[in-house]
Amino acid sequence: MGVFMEFVRAALAAALLAGVAGSAQAATVVDFNELTHTSPVKVYSAPIVSKGFSFASEVSLNGLGVWGTINNADPDGATLTNWSSKTITVRRTDGEAFSFQSLDLSDTYDTGAAAELLFTFFDGKAQTTQKVTLDRLKGMQTMSFGQGRLEWFSIAQTGSVGMQIDNLSFGAAAQGGVPEPATWALMIMGFGAAGASLRRRRDAVA
């Protein structure tokens, strides 16, 4: 029993360390600040690529814009807006899956307008949607999603008011079928408790 408990302790420590190491991996935050400029706005025909992620418009000409000195909800940097497009689609440039935690949102001109947006998420098998309504205040509003595994997602305006997006937080895709470190820890603790219970029963019978 002593050897078994030592094994349980070692395995539990390893699982906890793995969980700490996994949580310590920094997220990739796309803030578009490398596109900061001093003109009012710049418009783009091609997809915008930042930190390994592609942001594509549904239209081929001047579909996306990057705010500069006016209407910018991030005055110290840059924000991306759907300049002449209703939908922005986001995916990794290498085609790999990813996780998506959160982003900051404002309406197109940062006036507190009543913007409604539809998020569509594709995990490689099925699409799900989520509709959000902005809080009608100036400045960015943080929206959290916690999508663990995606191949792409899109943001579409559903009314007449468009969007600014910024500070998108991405991470590694969750691995399907592989227990998380915390799950391993709970499993090992359960095995240990079961073993201890059996030992107590045997002692009582003896």
Side-chain angles (χ1 to χ4, degrees):
M1 187 64 180
V3 174
F4 176 75
M5 289 307 297
E6 287 300 321
F7 167 77
V8 169
R9 291 192 189 97
L12 180 58
L16 292 175
L17 286 173
V20 170
S23 63
Q25 293 178 354
T28 297
V29 177
V30 176
D31 57 17
F32 306 109
N33 285 351
E34 73 275 16
L35 302 176
T36 301
H37 57 89
T38 56
S39 57
V41 67
K42 288 185 177 180
V43 293
Y44 295 81
S45 297
I48 288 177
V49 174
S50 181
K51 297 182 180 178
F53 287 86
S54 169
F55 299 80
S57 163
E58 64 182 326
V59 300
S60 59
L61 182 62
N62 297 338
L64 299 175
V66 175
W67 285 121
T69 56
I70 62 170
N71 304 320
N72 188 349
D74 178 14
D76 297 323
T79 63
L80 183 66
T81 186
N82 54 332
W83 184 253
S84 63
S85 168
K86 285 198 170 185
T87 303
I88 297 174
T89 300
V90 184
R91 51 172 42 93
R92 278 180 55 141
T93 55
D94 60 9
E96 294 294 323
F98 58 92
S99 64
F100 172 53
Q101 285 77 48
S102 63
L103 83 167
D104 291 343
L105 285 166
S106 179
D107 62 275
T108 302
Y109 300 105
D110 192 31
T111 60
E116 291 185 344
L117 307 172
L118 181 67
F119 285 75
T120 301
F121 304 104
F122 181 64
D123 64 3
K125 297 180 180 178
Q127 291 186 22
T128 57
T129 59
Q130 183 175 341
K131 191 174 183 179
V132 302
T133 302
L134 299 190
D135 58 13
R136 303 199 66 173
L137 299 174
K138 284 178 62 64
M140 285 294 189
Q141 176 182 358
T142 300
M143 296 280 188
S144 298
F145 295 93
Q147 293 286 332
R149 185 176 183 83
L150 295 174
E151 290 193 1
W152 58 264
F153 72 93
S154 65
I155 317 168
Q157 73 180 70
T158 59
S160 59
V161 180
M163 69 191 108
Q164 295 184 54
I165 64 174
D166 199 10
N167 300 323
L168 295 95
S169 179
F170 301 102
Q175 300 300 314
V178 178
E180 295 292 324
T183 304
W184 279 115
L186 289 173
M187 290 169 60
I188 292 168
M189 290 172 66
F191 291 144
S197 176
L198 287 173
R199 175 62 183 269
R200 282 195 297 272
R201 287 182 184 177
R202 289 171 181 165
D203 289 345
V205 171

